[in-house]
Amino acid sequence: MDRQGFPGTAPDAAQIEAIARATIERLPPEFARHLGDVVLLVEEFADDETLAALGIEHPLDLTGIYSGRPAGEKSSGESGALPDRIHLYRRAILDEWVETGVRLDDLVAHVTIHEIGHHFGLSDADMHALEDEVGEEEVGERG
């Protein structure tokens, strides 16, 4: 398994966040310009309230979640609402990383793009297309 520069230690929240922010920077401009107010949070696990609301029993079963209203459903009359948030759950991501052997940067990018897709109200097919587009740019940078 490719440890991607993390020999002997699990990546911390700052490292997961750096990968997620690098993913966001590679988004096409039409997406990136609408993410300025979205807060990115990396936490160890989802809280019990979030898990219960989603009907998830074990915190390692949730790698990320988008909290907010999709961009197309917002109105200019909304005030005082919490900012939209993307939560990434470090321990669940690391658990999936170890179980699957997928490169950590690819896994974090996948979860990040999936949650961004919820912000834009994208379908799963659209999320996969966006992930492919961002991934193609990264391959060009790595290649």
Side-chain angles (χ1 to χ4, degrees):
M1 176 188 316
D2 180 359
R3 300 309 293 182
Q4 298 174 175
F6 307 109
T9 61
D12 63 17
Q15 291 166 310
I16 300 291
E17 181 178 344
I19 295 169
R21 291 201 182 279
T23 299
I24 292 168
E25 288 175 14
R26 290 192 309 272
L27 288 171
E30 62 269 22
F31 289 96
R33 74 173 152 255
H34 296 288
L35 289 172
D37 294 335
V38 177
V39 176
L40 176 65
L41 301 165
V42 179
E43 301 168 328
E44 288 299 295
F45 294 105
D47 60 40
D48 290 338
E49 182 180 335
T50 299
L51 294 171
L54 295 171
I56 296 174
E57 292 184 22
H58 198 283
L60 291 178
D61 292 336
L62 184 62
T63 55
I65 191 168
Y66 166 74
S67 301
R69 292 187 61 195
E73 295 179 14
K74 295 184 185 288
S75 74
S76 59
E78 293 178 19
S79 66
L82 290 173
D84 294 345
R85 297 171 311 281
I86 292 173
H87 299 260
L88 301 180
Y89 300 114
R90 176 182 165 271
R91 295 285 304 275
I93 289 170
L94 295 179
D95 190 62
E96 187 171 329
W97 175 47
V98 169
E99 283 183 12
T100 64
V102 171
R103 287 178 51 92
L104 183 62
D105 55 348
D106 291 341
L107 179 57
V108 173
H110 171 77
V111 175
T112 302
I113 289 170
H114 186 86
E115 301 315 327
I116 287 169
H118 288 301
H119 172 68
F120 289 105
L122 299 179
S123 68
D124 282 343
D126 290 337
M127 288 181 211
H128 290 297
L130 181 58
E131 187 174 353
D132 289 344
E133 186 173 344
V134 169
E136 288 170 7
E137 291 175 21
E138 181 181 357
V139 168
E141 292 169 9
R142 277 196 244 170

